[in-house]
């Protein structure tokens, strides 16, 4: 079974220059809204904040050969598909891992949580990439 | 001192992160379910209105099934009326049953439902204005659904049986042996039954019903059917898998059951424990 949490894409595409603390706060805001409507208070907020925290580190690790340059934006046209898959894949995986581990903490069903993490990460990544193609198609320069 | 400030400033992102993360984990693991759910959840009036509007739209897609279910329910109730009449005309002065007077039933509509988390909640469209309060049981015509944990004026939040803290006093209908129902957390149809001693002879397909020893549910409401059981050599109790009778993924209408004497019963039981 796999679950899809496309809302994480909102954190993925925040501007590169945005200060990390702002990203953390936005992550918390998005997470808590998801939680309030899903009756899962704290779970999505915790995992989205964790992902927002990892974002600068992963961006640093994945720096392209000539840096990010002026006017860098997270569209697949600009970054290339492979780079985007690596960037989004790592962050989505970290988000889902925290989410399902917290969820499973009540039952110690960690094996099942890991399995769900892998399948759901793949599904969310696929949906995010499709979404990126759909909604940023017109911005070719 | 200056070094300390420099240190805090250098790692400010990490500190902010740790602060927010600890706050979130506190929200997740704080034990007080009742306060938490009353604080922010789909049973608050604002979010309740939003999800019920959304449910109002999606309801149209399952009208056929709902009609079918309601028609069947109607038929069943009509049958009951007929039986009841027959009973009262034969012996007009005998009370129909104690149980019937002890419980009051409210019909409610489900506006939000979840089955995929480890603590699942259902939101229904009646609340304290309609006389609902925390602790009442929730059932459908096919079986047990859960119990109310918190109410706003117009909505109530129900902890479904698919909840890590579920524990329902129950019995095996055929032989009357008492046990406790809990959720195994594996999937949305599998419950567990514990405290059935090893001398009891079980059969696959035995029905498990509520025992009526709890103050929440009436006696004899179906919970599920024994799917599989196992007896380890060194254990004194069976490990039993029970298949849930009510289809929680297809809930539309539920009944909230109020035990009029529940306060009295609880007070008495507390006295004994002291």
């Amino acid at each position: 079974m796999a679950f899809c949490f496309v809302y994480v894409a909102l954190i993925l595409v925040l501007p590169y220059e945005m200060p990390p603390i702002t990203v953390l706060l936005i992550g918390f805001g998005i997470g808590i809204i998801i939680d309030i409507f899903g009756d899962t208070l704290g779970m999505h907020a915790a995992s989205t904040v964790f992902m927002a925290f990892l974002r600068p580190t992963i961006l640093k690790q994945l720096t392209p050969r000539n840096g990010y340059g002026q006017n860098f934006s997270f569209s697949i046209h600009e970054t290339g598909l492979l780079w985007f898959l690596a960037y989004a894949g790592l962050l989505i995986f970290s988000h889902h891992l925290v989410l399902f581990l917290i969820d499973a903490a009540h039952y110690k069903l960690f094996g099942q949580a890991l399995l769900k993490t892998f399948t759901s990460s793949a599904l969310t990544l696929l949906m995010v990439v499709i979404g990126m193609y759909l909604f940023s198609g017109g911005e070719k320069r | 001192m200056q070094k300390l400030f420099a240190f805090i400033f250098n790692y400010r992102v990490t500190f902010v992160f740790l602060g927010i993360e600890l706050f979130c984990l506190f929200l997740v693991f704080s034990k007080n379910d009742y306060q938490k759910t009353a604080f922010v959840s789909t049973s608050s009036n604002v979010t309740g209105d939003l999800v019920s509007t959304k449910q109002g739209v999606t309801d149209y897609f399952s009208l056929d099934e709902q009609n079918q279910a309601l028609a069947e329910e109607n038929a069943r109730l009509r049958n009951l009326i007929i039986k009841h009449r027959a009973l009262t005309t034969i012996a007009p002065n005998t009370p129909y049953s104690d149980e019937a007077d002890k419980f009051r039933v409210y019909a409610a509509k489900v506006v939000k439902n979840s089955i995929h988390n480890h603590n699942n909640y259902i939101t229904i469209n009646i609340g304290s204005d309609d006389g609902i309060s925390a602790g009442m049981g929730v059932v459908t015509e096919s079986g047990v659904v859960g119990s109310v944990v918190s109410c706003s004026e117009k909505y109530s939040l129900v902890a479904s049986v698919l909840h890590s803290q579920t524990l329902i006093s129950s019995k095996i209908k055929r032989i009357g042996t008492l046990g406790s129902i809990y959720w195994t957390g594996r999937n949305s149809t599998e419950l567990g039954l514990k405290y059935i001693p090893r001398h009891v002879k079980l059969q696959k397909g035995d029905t498990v019903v509520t025992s009526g020893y709890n103050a929440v549910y009436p006696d004899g409401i179906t919970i599920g059917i024994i799917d599989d059981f196992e007896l380890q050599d060194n254990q004194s109790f069976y490990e039993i898998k029970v298949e849930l009778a009510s289809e929680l993924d297809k809930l539309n209408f539920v009944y909230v059951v109020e035990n009029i004497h529940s306060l009295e019963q609880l007070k008495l039981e507390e006295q004994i424990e002291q």
Side-chain angles (χ1 to χ4, degrees), chain A residues 92-112:
Chain A
I92 290 175
F93 181 79
S94 68
H95 172 273
H96 286 24
L97 187 66
V98 174
L99 181 69
F100 288 121
L101 283 184
I102 293 178
D103 189 37
H106 293 282
Y107 279 99
K108 305 181 177 64
L109 295 174
F110 290 117
Q112 205 193 32

Side-chain angles (χ1 to χ4, degrees), chain B residues 164-232:
Chain B
S164 60
Q165 279 156 29
T166 293
L167 207 55
I168 304 173
S169 168
S170 49
K171 66 183 177 194
I172 296 170
K173 198 177 180 185
R174 186 172 55 88
I175 41 190
T177 314
L178 291 169
S180 285
I181 282 283
Y182 64 99
W183 186 38
T184 55
R186 283 194 205 95
N187 61 50
S188 63
T189 54
E190 182 193 309
L191 299 173
L193 176 61
K194 53 184 178 182
Y195 305 137
I196 299 293
R198 63 182 303 142
H199 64 80
V200 172
K201 291 263 181 300
L202 288 179
Q203 286 171 11
K204 282 184 191 178
D206 272 347
T207 311
V208 181
V209 298
T210 55
S211 77
Y213 286 178
N214 58 64
V216 178
Y217 302 103
D219 191 10
I221 302 268
T222 311
I223 298 175
I225 288 166
I226 293 182
D227 192 32
D228 198 7
F229 55 86
E230 200 179 343
L231 188 57
Q232 306 282 350

